[in-house]
Amino acid sequence: MDATRKQAVIDRNVDRLRREYPDDFDEMPEWYLRDALDTLIDNPEVADTDADHALLPLLWQLACLY
């Protein structure tokens, strides 16, 4: 995936997570979530879902692990 498309996927999912988890979104710095999404895009084998379907708890876990 080229960098422009990857950034669009990350931006889209950060916006989605902000809408889906309005009360929990600010618990972790946004750049942690962006890094976790980046990890998930580059290493899809680390989870049983893709960036467009990842839930906030999964991304928190990825942010802590990677």
Side-chain angles (χ1 to χ4, degrees):
M1 178 180 300
D2 66 70
T4 302
R5 184 165 175 238
K6 185 177 181 180
Q7 188 61 48
V9 169
I10 291 171
D11 291 343
R12 179 179 66 234
N13 281 286
V14 167
D15 290 341
R16 174 183 64 84
L17 292 164
R18 189 179 282 119
R19 285 189 313 273
E20 289 179 6
Y21 299 93
D23 297 331
D24 298 324
F25 187 82
D26 292 330
E27 295 294 319
M28 178 180 283
E30 184 176 315
W31 66 272
Y32 281 17
L33 295 174
R34 289 183 174 279
D35 285 349
L37 285 162
D38 185 60
T39 298
L40 185 57
I41 292 167
D42 288 343
N43 305 288
E45 70 277 359
V46 300
D48 61 353
T49 190
D50 62 5
D52 288 325
H53 298 98
L55 301 177
L56 189 60
L58 169 67
L59 294 173
W60 282 9
Q61 186 176 27
L62 286 175
C64 292
L65 293 173
Y66 295 94

